[in-house]
Amino acid sequence: MSQYVFQQLINGLSLGSLYALVAIGFSMIYGIVRLINFAHGDLVMIGAFSTLGFVAMGVPWPLILVFVLMIGALAGMTIEATIFRPMRGAQQVTGFIATLAVSIVIQNVGLMTLSGQPRNFSFPAFMRQRVQLGSVSASVTDLSIIGLTLLLIALLLVVVYRTRLGTAMRATADNLMAARLMGIAVNRTILFAFAIGSGLAAVAGLMWGGKFGQIDPLLGFAPGLKAFIACVIGGVGSIGGAMLGGYLLGLAEVLFVGLLPPAFSGYRDVFVFTMLIIILLLKPSGLFVRHVEERA
Amino acid sequence: MSKNVPEVTRRRSATGLLALAALLGVGAALVYAAQATLSSYVVTLLALMFLNIALAVSLTVTNGFAGLFSLGHPAFMTIGGYIAAVLTYPPARKDFMLPDLPAVLLTNQIPLLPALLAGGIIAAILAFLVGLPVLRLKGHYLAVATLGLIVIVQGLATNWSGLTRGGSGLNGIPRLTDIWWCFGFAALAIYVALRLKFSSLGRAMMATRENAMAAELSGVSTYRVRMLAFVIGAFFAAVAGGLMVHLITVVTPKTYSVVLAFNLIAMVVIGGSGSVFGAVLAAIALTGISEAARPLEESLNLYGLSQVIVALALILVLFFRPNGIMGGAEPRLLRRLF
C-alpha cells in the first residue's frame, strides 16, 4: 500500500473516530429522550477549551483526560437538569428549539469570555512524532485518537450492555413509561445518559484540538452537525449505527478530498450534506437498520 | 341557510377592503413621516426591520402554520441575494468583478423586480427538490437537512467563484431598494399569510401540524400541504434576501448564517407559532433589542451579548409561555378583516 493511500486511510479513521464519539452521545440522548440536541457539538468546544485551561495550569495529560471527561459530563447534566427536564413532555419541536437556544447561549458566552480569535492548541512533542510501520508511517496523534476512541467505545458498550445502569438506560429508551412503572428512576437514568454522552463529546473536543491544532468558540458547529449525519447514516438512536456512521462519514470525507483533484476540496461539506440528502431519499431509516417502528 | 353565506361574505369583504386600505394608508403615512424626519441610518434600520417582519411572517407559514421545523431561510436568502445581485449588476462593472460569467449574464442587466422574482422562483424550486425526500420524514430530519442546506449553499457561494466571486462576495451592488420596497414587501407577506391562514389551505396546514394522521384521514394530503408551506416560505425568503442585498449593497457567503435562522425561529416562537400578528410584534421587538444592545456590546467589548439575550428570552418564553405571546391567535380586528 502506498504511503499516500495509507495516510488518507489513517486520517479518515481518526476523523471518523471523532465523529463516532460525538455521534454516539448524540444518538444515546436521542434514543432515550427523543431530543435532537443541537447543543451537543458545543460540548466538543467546551472540552477543547477546558483542555487548554488544564494545560496552562500544568496538569499532566492523563489527568487532563479524566478531568475533561468529568467537565463534559457535568456540563451535560447541568443542561439536562435545568433546561431540558422542565420541558419534558412538551412538543418535540419545543425541545429542538430549546437545544438550539442553549447552543447559541454557549457559543456566544464563549465568544464573550474567550474572544473569537482562534487559539493554538498543541499536544506534547511525543504525540506529534510519526511511527514507522513497515513501509508506511503514521502520526502518533492519529493513532492515539483511534486507539482511545476504540477503548472508550468498548467501555461504553460494557456499561450499556453489562451493568444495571445500562439495562435501565436501554429500558428507558425502549419505553419510558413502562420503565418508570417498573421502578426505574427514569430522571436519574436520563441524567446518566447525558453525562456519558456529553463526557464523550468533551473528550472528542480534546482530540479535535490536538488533530487540527486550533480552536475557537464556534468550533462545535461542524462536529454537532456531522454527528447527526453519522446518526442518520447508521440509523438514529442506535449506538452501533452511530459508531459505524461516524467512521463511514470520516472515511468518505477524507477520501473525497484525498482522491479527487484539489479544485474540489472546497466542496467537502457540500459533498457531505448532499450525501445526507441522498441517504434520506433512499434509506431514511439508516443503512444498518432493517426495521423501524413508528412512534406516536 | 346556505343561500345567506355568499352575501355575508361579500359584505364583509367590501368593508374589509376599505379597512385594509386604511391600514395600509396609516402604515404608508408613518413610513413617509419617518423618512422625512429621521436620519438615513435610522431609516435603513427601519427598512431592515420591515424585511425582518416579512421573513418572520414567511417563516410563520412554514414553521407556524404547517408545524415544520425549517432552518433553511438563510440558504434561500443567500440564493435570492446572489441571483438578484448578479442580474441587476451593471455590465460595465461585471467585466472586472465577474469576468467568468456566462455571456448572457455578462452583457445583460435587468430591473430589480424580475431579478427578485427569478431568485424567488429558483429558491422555490430548490425547496421543492429538498422537500421531495425530506418532507416525507419526521420533523427533525427537515431541521438538519435545512441546516445542511445552509452549509451547501455557503459552500457553493464560496467555491463557485465564476458566478459569485468566492469568499470576498459582491460589493458595490446598486442600492435599488429603499424603505418603501421593504414596507411594501412586508405588507404583502402579512397579507398573503393572513389570507392563507383563514383559507381552507391554511386550515389544512394547521390540521397537519396538530395531528397529521387525523388530517390525512380527513382527506388532507399532508405531504402536499407541507410542501406548499415549505416552498412558499422559501420564495418569500429569497425575495427578502434579494431586497436586503440591494439595501446593504453587499453580499458574501456568510451574510446570511445559521444565527439568522435562529433569530427568525425565535421571532416565530416568541410571537406564538402560527400567529402572524405575534410574528410581526416579535420581529419588531427582537430587531429593536438587537439594535439597542449594539452600543452596549461595543462599550463593554462583549460581542455576542445581544444573541445571548435573544436566546435566553426564547428559553424563558418556552418555559413560561410555550405557545408564545399570541399563541397562534390573531387580534379580533385582523380576524374580522380576513
Side-chain angles (χ1 to χ4, degrees):
Chain A
M1 203 182 332
S2 77
Q3 168 66 28
Y4 181 72
V5 174
F6 180 76
Q7 179 59 44
Q8 297 299 328
L9 215 60
I10 291 289
N11 199 5
L13 282 176
S14 81
L15 189 63
S17 297
L18 296 178
Y19 291 162
L21 267 191
V22 185
I24 286 171
F26 194 91
S27 189
M28 282 174 72
I29 291 169
Y30 180 84
I32 204 158
V33 281
R34 303 274 175 273
L35 188 70
I36 296 292
N37 186 2
F38 285 110
H40 195 65
D42 297 305
L43 289 156
V44 176
M45 184 274 282
I46 290 178
F49 272 96
S50 4
T51 310
L52 215 55
F54 288 127
V55 171
M57 281 187 257
V59 181
W61 278 93
L63 269 183
I64 291 183
L65 193 61
V66 177
F67 286 172
V68 165
L69 189 75
M70 279 161 52
I71 283 191
L74 215 61
M77 282 158 68
T78 311
I79 296 172
E80 145 65 12
T82 55
I83 313 273
F84 299 154
R85 188 184 297 170
M87 289 184 193
R88 198 122 63 234
Q91 285 178 19
Q92 208 181 18
V93 174
T94 309
F96 298 162
I97 298 169
T99 66
L100 203 54
V102 169
S103 162
I104 295 278
V105 169
I106 296 177
Q107 285 175 9
N108 283 286
V109 168
L111 280 177
M112 278 155 60
T113 53
L114 305 164
S115 104
Q117 286 298 329
R119 298 185 189 212
N120 287 327
F121 183 113
S122 59
F123 275 156
F126 73 91
M127 293 284 284
R128 281 176 271 139
Q129 291 164 353
R130 303 187 67 82
V131 282
Q132 199 65 35
L133 303 162
S135 63
V136 291
S137 69
S139 84
V140 178
T141 302
D142 282 337
L143 292 179
S144 350
I145 287 176
I146 298 170
L148 183 60
T149 301
L150 292 177
L151 180 72
L152 287 172
I153 290 176
L155 280 176
L156 176 78
L157 291 178
V158 171
V159 170
V160 173
Y161 290 100
R162 289 281 178 276
T163 64
R164 284 176 68 86
L165 176 63
T167 313
M169 271 197 244
R170 282 180 291 132
T172 310
D174 204 41
N175 189 329
L176 194 135
M177 193 48 81
R180 177 171 279 153
L181 292 173
M182 293 301 117
I184 293 175
V186 167
N187 274 336
R188 213 175 59 201
T189 312
I190 293 174
L191 206 58
F192 273 121
F194 267 89
I196 296 173
S198 308
L200 292 181
V203 173
L206 181 157
M207 300 198 276
W208 189 279
K211 183 167 171 57
F212 296 106
Q214 261 196 347
I215 57 176
D216 68 81
L218 302 181
L219 76 82
F221 180 69
L225 218 50
K226 285 180 181 164
F228 184 89
I229 299 179
C231 288
V232 170
I233 294 175
V236 185
S238 115
I239 292 180
M243 189 184 100
L244 287 176
Y247 278 108
L248 209 64
L249 181 64
L251 281 172
E253 210 181 303
V254 166
L255 293 183
F256 176 82
V257 176
L259 299 183
L260 286 178
F264 286 100
S265 63
Y267 289 101
R268 178 181 189 147
D269 286 338
V270 176
F271 161 75
V272 169
F273 285 101
T274 313
M275 196 164 92
L276 167 78
I277 290 178
I278 291 172
I279 290 178
L280 288 180
L281 181 64
L282 301 177
K283 199 117 177 37
S285 57
L287 298 182
F288 308 117
V289 174
R290 249 176 265 131
H291 161 80
V292 177
E293 59 175 319
E294 183 65 25
R295 273 169 191 276
Chain B
M1 181 82 179
S2 63
K3 255 199 299 187
N4 287 336
V5 172
E7 197 192 343
V8 171
T9 324
R10 205 179 312 131
R11 202 167 62 221
R12 227 181 227 174
S13 67
T15 47
L17 271 181
L18 265 178
L20 277 183
L23 266 181
L24 204 63
V26 171
L30 285 176
V31 170
Y32 186 80
Q35 212 177 14
T37 55
L38 299 171
S39 70
S40 69
Y41 174 72
V42 179
V43 171
T44 304
L45 280 185
L46 285 176
L48 283 173
M49 190 188 75
F50 281 128
L51 287 180
N52 276 338
I53 290 175
L55 286 165
V57 166
S58 67
L59 198 65
T60 296
V61 173
T62 310
N63 292 28
F65 295 178
L68 298 170
F69 191 54
S70 165
L71 294 167
H73 259 45
F76 301 125
M77 290 170 73
T78 306
I79 291 172
Y82 269 103
I83 290 175
V86 168
L87 289 179
T88 57
Y89 218 65
R93 280 181 57 103
K94 271 186 201 167
D95 277 339
F96 69 87
M97 289 282 271
L98 292 161
D100 301 328
L101 279 183
V104 193
L105 289 175
L106 197 57
T107 49
N108 286 302
Q109 182 185 14
I110 63 172
L112 181 59
L113 193 61
L116 292 174
L117 289 178
I121 289 166
I122 290 175
I125 292 171
L126 182 75
F128 176 75
L129 292 177
V130 173
L132 226 42
V134 176
L135 290 176
R136 288 191 192 279
L137 307 170
K138 280 197 291 181
H140 52 255
Y141 287 105
L142 183 69
V144 176
T146 48
L147 208 53
L149 194 62
I150 298 177
V151 178
I152 293 179
V153 170
Q154 277 185 353
L156 286 177
T158 311
N159 291 292
W160 198 352
S161 22
L163 205 60
T164 62
R165 208 160 155 263
S168 42
L170 294 170
N171 51 30
I173 298 166
R175 198 170 192 273
L176 300 176
T177 317
D178 58 8
I179 191 169
W180 289 105
W181 276 90
C182 302
F183 169 70
F185 185 62
L188 178 74
I190 294 171
Y191 179 75
V192 169
L194 283 172
R195 282 306 294 263
L196 187 63
K197 183 171 184 178
F198 299 118
S199 71
S200 59
L201 179 60
R203 295 292 184 209
M205 283 176 183
M206 284 180 268
T208 305
R209 174 190 71 195
E210 291 304 320
N211 189 332
M213 189 173 285
E216 194 76 44
L217 291 173
S218 315
V220 173
S221 164
T222 54
Y223 180 55
R224 230 178 67 193
V225 163
R226 281 182 179 144
M227 183 65 93
L228 269 171
F230 188 49
V231 168
I232 291 172
F235 177 83
F236 274 88
V239 174
L243 281 171
M244 200 179 280
V245 158
H246 284 91
L247 190 69
I248 56 182
T249 70
V250 287
V251 60
T252 70
K254 298 223 149 74
T255 304
Y256 308 123
S257 65
V258 180
V259 173
L260 177 70
F262 172 75
N263 285 339
L264 293 176
I265 295 267
M267 291 172 194
V268 172
V269 173
I270 292 175
S273 292
S275 170
V276 175
F277 186 70
V280 173
L281 282 187
I284 294 172
L286 288 193
T287 315
I289 289 175
S290 306
E291 284 309 319
R294 187 162 294 170
L296 198 65
E297 278 185 342
E298 275 163 16
S299 62
L300 296 175
N301 202 13
L302 281 179
Y303 294 95
L305 186 63
S306 63
Q307 269 310 312
V308 173
I309 294 174
V310 170
L312 289 178
L314 179 62
I315 292 176
L316 287 179
V317 167
L318 289 177
F319 267 138
F320 297 110
R321 247 190 114 87
N323 292 324
I325 302 167
M326 298 292 299
E330 307 293 347
R332 192 170 295 163
L333 174 73
L334 279 181
R335 177 70 197 87
R336 274 202 169 140
L337 292 181
F338 288 89

